Amino acid sequence: MIRLRKIGITLIGLLLVTLLLSACGSNNNAEQNNASAQAETTDTTNANQPVNSEKAAFPRTIKDANGEVTIEAQPKKVAVVHWGYADSILLFDIPSVGLALPFTEATSTLKTASYKPYVDKHSEMKIIGENTQVNMEALLAYAPDLIIAGNAINKDILSDLSKISQTIVIDEQTTDVWSNWPALVTKFGEILGEEDIAAKYIADYNASLADGKAKLANLDGKVAFLQVRDKQAWLQGTNYTKPYYDGLGLKPPVSEKVDMTQGAEISLEGLVALDPDYIVLGYFNYSDKSMPAVTDEWEKVGVWNKLKAVQNGHVYSVDGQLALGYGPIGNSYGVKAVVDALSK
């Protein structure tokens, strides 16, 4: 009986040890399962970030000027054949871009400091048009995945473009290419699956406008913007300088002879009659002073020194191709340059 009792006690002890080890194993498994669940939750959270989810959203169907178009895969080589689109397309993370330019490549803004970060991030860049003309042979050789065109500027070549590659035709009136680049950038984000990039750039730009407006809130007087060429100067209308008059809250000159919404060519005599408190000269020879500017001759004439802005040291020079352009990169440069000048 004693031996049986000892055997029983031993068995009970072994059973307790087994149960204890099993409980510890269950706890370890639970901890491991919890850790795995947390890791899976973290991975899922990261995977659902806007950049990844939006870029993976292909095929996608969008509306263009001619109806609905389905883009099967995110494009890697994109050609913009509308010369007003070059500025906006550079914002996006596309490996390769083809550009039609408003001027020649040699005289374009692509080599300026403002553009360099955007130009450098593309592994390939091809010029497929200059001086507003598309080079169809260069476009064909470039072999883009996708072509983005305008329904007005490119209307005569739309059928030819579609033979080269899938073509998205943007309604230029809806996007208002010349005075509302955020609409164009937003559309590009939709087409390319990079809505996050478009939204961030627009938000940052709007923040810079708000900051600049606050800095210039106490600026007293009228501000005139002139586009300065070699033999002519153009007073810029408020319709085409919205970042400065609407965005920064600057006051335009008042004239009975000039439609200030549209602007007009202006002579030195016309500028004297206008006599603004501040003058911002947008030079097209800003990067190459060997090229002439009409103001070179103006400054030799005595009447120039009678201008209030000249007498008070309120004449400022900016890069006209950038500041007085219509795209996001140029306008961003212009806002900073104008705020820096007028807040001194």
Side-chain angles (χ1 to χ4, degrees), residues 34-338:
N34 286 337
S36 297
Q38 289 176 356
E40 289 175 3
T41 300
T42 301
D43 290 342
T44 301
T45 300
N46 290 337
N48 288 331
Q49 291 296 320
V51 173
N52 294 333
S53 63
E54 287 174 350
K55 287 190 176 182
F58 283 86
R60 59 173 52 199
T61 300
I62 65 164
K63 290 184 178 180
D64 77 349
N66 298 322
E68 291 190 341
V69 181
T70 298
I71 305 172
E72 295 297 333
Q74 189 171 32
K76 304 298 183 184
K77 295 183 69 175
V78 180
V80 289
V81 294
H82 186 307
W83 55 269
Y85 294 172
D87 199 279
S88 296
I89 198 67
L90 292 177
L91 302 182
F92 295 93
D93 292 338
I94 311 165
S96 176
V97 293
L99 305 176
L101 302 174
F103 305 107
T104 65
E105 182 179 5
T107 60
S108 74
T109 56
L110 294 176
K111 295 180 181 179
T112 62
S114 295
Y115 276 74
K116 190 176 189 305
Y118 300 97
V119 171
D120 288 351
K121 74 176 183 176
H122 302 287
S123 59
E124 180 184 35
M125 179 178 292
K126 295 292 184 181
I127 305 304
I128 46 108
E130 293 183 328
N131 292 320
T132 74
Q133 297 297 313
V134 179
N135 183 329
M136 298 301 286
E137 291 183 1
L139 177 62
L140 183 61
Y142 175 60
D145 299 330
L146 184 72
I147 298 172
I148 305 179
N151 65 333
I153 291 292
N154 304 122
K155 63 180 180 180
D156 294 333
I157 59 171
L158 290 178
S159 60
D160 294 326
L161 295 175
S162 62
K163 296 174 183 177
I164 296 174
S165 185
Q166 182 177 30
T167 302
I168 303 295
V169 183
I170 292 180
D171 187 322
E172 296 173 50
Q173 185 174 2
T174 301
T175 57
D176 193 7
V177 173
W178 310 118
S179 61
N180 184 16
W181 61 257
L184 180 65
V185 168
T186 299
K187 191 65 178 179
F188 278 4
E190 179 189 355
I191 293 169
L192 302 171
E194 296 187 353
E195 291 93 335
D196 54 309
I197 292 178
K200 185 178 187 306
Y201 194 95
I202 293 169
D204 289 347
Y205 174 78
N206 287 334
S208 71
L209 281 179
D211 180 64
K213 187 174 184 178
K215 288 180 178 178
L216 300 179
N218 296 323
L219 188 74
D220 186 25
K222 305 294 193 296
V223 184
F225 290 86
L226 271 66
Q227 182 190 106
V228 181
R229 302 277 189 158
D230 55 347
K231 297 179 181 179
Q232 297 169 309
W234 297 83
L235 178 66
Q236 300 296 281
T238 56
N239 279 354
Y240 306 103
T241 45
K242 289 183 179 180
Y244 314 118
Y245 291 125
D246 291 351
L248 296 178
L250 302 179
K251 299 174 183 176
V254 177
S255 173
E256 295 180 356
K257 296 183 178 180
V258 179
D259 178 0
M260 280 306 302
T261 61
Q262 299 300 317
E265 183 178 352
I266 192 168
S267 63
L268 176 56
E269 291 73 21
L271 184 59
V272 171
L274 204 63
D275 202 16
D277 300 283
Y278 302 86
I279 300 174
V280 179
L281 300 173
Y283 285 100
F284 270 64
N285 69 342
Y286 190 82
S287 300
D288 185 1
K289 296 299 189 295
S290 66
M291 298 172 61
V294 67
T295 51
D296 297 339
E297 298 302 318
W298 286 6
E299 292 172 2
K300 298 175 183 177
V301 181
V303 71
W304 169 261
N305 295 313
K306 293 183 179 180
L307 288 163
K308 283 186 297 186
V310 175
Q311 292 176 352
N312 295 324
H314 292 162
V315 179
Y316 310 100
S317 301
V318 298
D319 189 328
Q321 287 195 76
L322 295 174
L324 302 180
Y326 42 80
I329 300 173
N331 280 182
S332 295
Y333 157 85
V335 167
K336 184 179 186 305
V338 169

